[in-house]
Amino acid sequence: MKISILTLFPEMFESIFTQSIMKRAQKSGFVEIKIHNLRDWAIDKHKMVDDRPFGGGPGMVLKVDVLHAAILDLKEQNSDAKIILLTPQGEKYSQQRSEQFSQEKGLILIAGHYEGFDERIRDYVDQEISIGDYVLTGGEIPAMVIVDSVVRLLPGVLGDENSASTDSFSAGSDKLGCPQYTRPEEFDGKKVPDVLKSGDHAKIEKWREEQTKKRTQQRRPDLI
Ligand code: ADE
């Protein structure tokens, strides 16, 4: 999969994509991630990417001509990609949507800033996504959230033992995860449940299922 990210703050992505699973996924060729600076498509000599809104009001608005030029070029480099605009006005992101995105050949993620985008850019994107009902200073963190959640679903990225197929919220699962423990066996008077140390795999499996059900019922009855 090829992922192109359009942003005014490319440095924000440096640490997140050069560590751990994201780093390995790129090194092993499962995904190619490229960060592009929107300013590279600025048209005038002042490298302006935003301007005051018509009609007045606070803040600046990202220019449609600059965004459009960038999208055209990125589309040429990542031809079958789905173009996604990050905005609090978009569809709320979910595990189901990340599963769909992970089937795409490519993604172009557009992170906005300031007061927003010129409305007309909406005609040149395939989808608008919000990561939740809160407003961030820009679309960079939402873009990171999407990349992380999609890349870990690409076949081969997670080892078998970490398979994404059993994730909470995934299509086959309507439940939260079960409680997990590791050493020490006792901490601050709190003991690891005996069943987990019994070596009886059928019993352990049954206990985990029950715990999963109970926890989901208590915390997220809406998932059942
Ligand atoms: N930009 C600012 N806030 C956002 C959000 N919640 N989701 C996506 N993009 C955003």
Side-chain angles (χ1 to χ4, degrees):
M1 170 180 273
K2 188 166 175 174
I3 301 179
S4 317
I5 301 174
L6 188 61
T7 171
L8 282 169
F9 301 96
E11 296 83 11
M12 284 178 75
F13 294 88
E14 268 163 24
S15 64
I16 195 125
F17 295 149
T18 54
Q19 316 280 327
S20 182
I21 292 173
M22 289 301 129
K23 178 181 175 181
R24 243 189 11 233
Q26 291 171 88
K27 249 184 145 174
S28 311
F30 294 115
V31 64
E32 184 189 337
I33 305 174
K34 283 211 168 141
I35 316 292
H36 303 269
N37 192 336
L38 178 63
R39 214 165 283 284
D40 293 344
W41 282 273
I43 292 152
D44 68 324
K45 63 177 192 291
H46 303 296
K47 293 260 164 207
M48 232 167 97
V49 291
D50 55 349
D51 209 338
R52 285 165 300 157
F54 277 111
M60 302 289 267
V61 174
L62 288 176
K63 285 162 62 60
V64 65
D65 45 1
V66 176
L67 283 165
H68 182 249
I71 289 173
L72 282 186
D73 281 352
L74 295 187
K75 189 82 193 168
E76 211 158 276
Q77 298 168 25
N78 195 354
S79 51
D80 292 316
K82 190 169 195 117
I83 306 175
I84 300 162
L85 190 70
L86 284 322
T87 159
Q89 298 174 21
E91 171 200 301
K92 208 187 286 179
Y93 195 51
S94 63
Q95 186 68 24
Q96 277 76 18
R97 192 56 76 201
S98 73
E99 282 164 13
Q100 284 172 7
F101 287 169
S102 72
Q103 313 280 329
E104 298 284 341
K105 285 216 175 82
L107 300 174
I108 297 173
L109 301 173
I110 305 170
H113 248 269
Y114 312 123
E115 286 305 304
F117 310 92
D118 185 307
E119 184 65 20
R120 293 167 289 186
I121 202 59
R122 295 198 143 90
D123 291 342
Y124 304 95
V125 306
D126 298 314
Q127 200 157 357
E128 298 184 29
I129 293 285
S130 162
I131 61 160
D133 289 341
Y134 39 82
V135 180
L136 301 165
T137 54
E140 281 75 15
I141 293 171
M144 292 174 200
V145 166
I146 291 182
V147 172
D148 190 287
S149 59
V150 166
V151 168
R152 65 185 288 287
L153 292 176
L154 299 176
V157 167
L158 297 184
D160 273 352
E161 75 273 24
N162 294 322
S163 166
S165 62
T166 56
D167 283 344
S168 303
F169 312 116
S170 73
S173 169
D174 50 3
K175 301 182 201 81
L176 304 180
C178 68
Q180 300 277 16
Y181 299 86
T182 185
R183 283 183 291 183
E185 288 187 19
E186 184 172 341
F187 176 76
D188 201 19
K190 292 174 247 291
K191 289 187 176 149
V192 174
D194 285 336
V195 59
L196 296 177
K197 296 182 289 177
S198 68
D200 183 335
H201 294 297
K203 235 162 108 181
I204 292 173
E205 200 42 48
K206 187 162 170 270
W207 181 86
R208 285 184 165 152
E209 269 172 33
E210 284 163 8
Q211 291 295 316
T212 296
K213 215 166 152 187
K214 198 164 131 197
R215 175 160 287 197
T216 310
Q217 241 150 17
Q218 278 169 349
R219 298 186 183 199
R220 292 294 305 273
D222 58 298
L223 291 177
I224 296 172

